[in-house]
Amino acid sequence: LGCGGAPRLKGAYREIASAEPRFTVFGSFEPNAPPRSEGGARGAVLYRQVFGHPFGMTSSVVNFCRAPAFMCWAASLLLGVPVGSYIDDYIVVDVAGGQESAQEALGALHRMLAIMPLATDKHKGMAAQQKVLGVQCDTSRAASHGEVSYFPDAQRCERILGALRQCKEEDRMGPAVAEKQLGKLGFVTTSLYGRVGRAAVLPLIQRAHRDTDPAFPWTPAMEEMLVFFTALLSAGFLVRKVVQLDRAAADHRPPVVIYTDACTGDDLGNRPWDFFAKPLYFTVSTDFLIFCYQRPL
């Protein structure tokens, strides 16, 4: 079993036409545009039409994603290709004996429909282990042990931590930087245990969507966030998330739910919680309290 990224969609938003082109016109101020009349001031607003979906609009993302979702549906139903997509990236899984036939079938479907050309320079061949969106996907033990594992890419983690440390040194984190790091952390933390760090990224959400101070300073909450993710994402401490394929298919017992009550503070980990029923709990450290709850059969 192998996984690989099929060619990325070329041009992405620019290649999908809009049924309402009146919404794809935008204006920009050109300070060096010549004056419209003699003696007038330089500069003018110029209007342009995007023959596609304008980048930066929320509606562009939602509407664009309908196209690759349709292609995944068609490839799965008509050609038996196990494929998923994230925005303009495809992720394909195939048996080793397929020799990339799944990717070739997906490409043939694109050519047949003559929509959304594929960027062949971004093609990734099939491999037992593949980095997808900053996460290492390892299928090397799928046939022998019936398991697939995921773990954050170490270099991606170091780049994320490096960007946060740079913001600390500069005593500034702008909204665009916060939103970018929030997106990257979303992928890498999903591959750890299941999902961790959602409370820790609240300073990034605050900065990206709510803060109005033009200085955008580094805050104590961001410092706690950096300490948390440094401990979680440092090289040598990254844990694999293992999925047992045969067990997932055969075991219908309800899962054990593990809940962690925040990460810092003297009073945390000492409060009772009504978690569907009174849970069994134990203190792992002064900072963590983990609840284990088994749903009744």
Side-chain angles (χ1 to χ4, degrees):
L1 188 67
C3 61
R8 174 177 294 184
L9 293 171
K10 183 178 181 180
Y13 297 161
R14 295 191 295 272
E15 297 291 338
I16 303 295
S18 172
E20 299 176 300
R22 64 186 181 277
F23 293 119
T24 66
V25 177
F26 72 96
S28 62
F29 181 72
E30 300 292 342
N32 296 321
R36 295 192 173 187
S37 60
E38 185 176 354
R42 298 181 65 86
V45 176
L46 302 183
Y47 294 93
R48 299 178 175 87
Q49 183 175 4
V50 177
F51 296 99
H53 283 58
F55 187 81
M57 291 182 63
T58 303
S59 58
S60 294
V61 181
V62 176
N63 205 42
F64 168 83
C65 287
R66 297 167 63 191
F70 166 76
M71 296 300 289
C72 290
W73 173 84
S76 300
L77 184 66
L78 302 177
L79 306 174
V81 175
V83 57
S85 67
Y86 178 76
I87 311 296
D88 58 347
D89 287 314
Y90 283 117
I91 304 171
V92 179
V93 180
D94 199 3
V95 294
Q99 298 185 357
E100 302 198 7
S101 60
Q103 293 195 35
E104 293 172 2
L106 181 62
L109 185 62
H110 270 269
R111 293 191 297 272
M112 182 174 65
L113 297 179
I115 61 172
M116 297 191 303
L118 299 177
T120 54
D121 59 320
K122 300 293 181 67
H123 172 81
K124 287 185 177 181
M126 302 296 290
Q129 181 172 318
Q130 192 80 259
K131 183 172 74 170
V132 181
L133 301 171
V135 175
Q136 293 286 350
C137 305
D138 188 354
T139 62
S140 61
R141 294 167 58 90
S144 59
H145 293 76
E147 66 180 38
V148 174
S149 61
Y150 307 90
F151 57 97
D153 181 69
Q155 293 182 348
R156 170 65 67 92
C157 293
E158 279 302 314
R159 287 195 294 268
I160 293 173
L161 294 175
L164 296 179
R165 294 186 186 110
Q166 182 177 355
C167 291
K168 176 183 178 179
E169 293 176 1
E170 297 174 353
D171 193 23
R172 188 180 192 278
M173 177 186 288
V177 174
E179 190 161 14
K180 182 178 181 180
Q181 300 308 318
L182 178 64
K184 292 182 176 181
L185 283 167
F187 286 114
V188 299
T189 56
T190 300
S191 60
L192 283 168
Y193 307 102
R195 184 65 186 270
V196 295
R198 281 182 286 185
V201 298
L202 287 177
L204 298 180
I205 297 174
Q206 175 75 23
R207 180 56 48 85
H209 302 291
R210 300 188 182 97
D211 285 348
T212 57
D213 183 352
F216 298 122
W218 182 262
T219 65
M222 292 178 179
E223 181 65 27
E224 293 182 2
M225 172 190 67
L226 178 57
V227 172
F228 177 84
F229 283 118
T230 298
L232 188 70
L233 302 178
S234 294
F237 294 94
L238 299 177
V239 180
R240 287 176 177 257
K241 175 185 176 182
V242 180
V243 178
Q244 299 287 346
L245 303 180
D246 53 350
R247 186 179 304 171
D251 191 351
H252 300 290
R253 293 179 301 175
V256 174
V257 178
I258 301 179
Y259 175 79
T260 312
D261 164 11
C263 61
T264 59
D266 296 334
D267 63 331
L268 296 178
N270 297 320
R271 298 190 297 267
W273 291 72
D274 182 11
F275 193 56
F276 299 112
K278 187 175 181 180
L280 299 175
Y281 60 89
F282 57 93
T283 302
V284 176
S285 70
T286 56
D287 294 330
F288 292 90
L289 182 67
I290 293 185
F291 296 88
C292 294
Y293 170 72
Q294 174 70 57
R295 287 197 294 252
L297 297 178

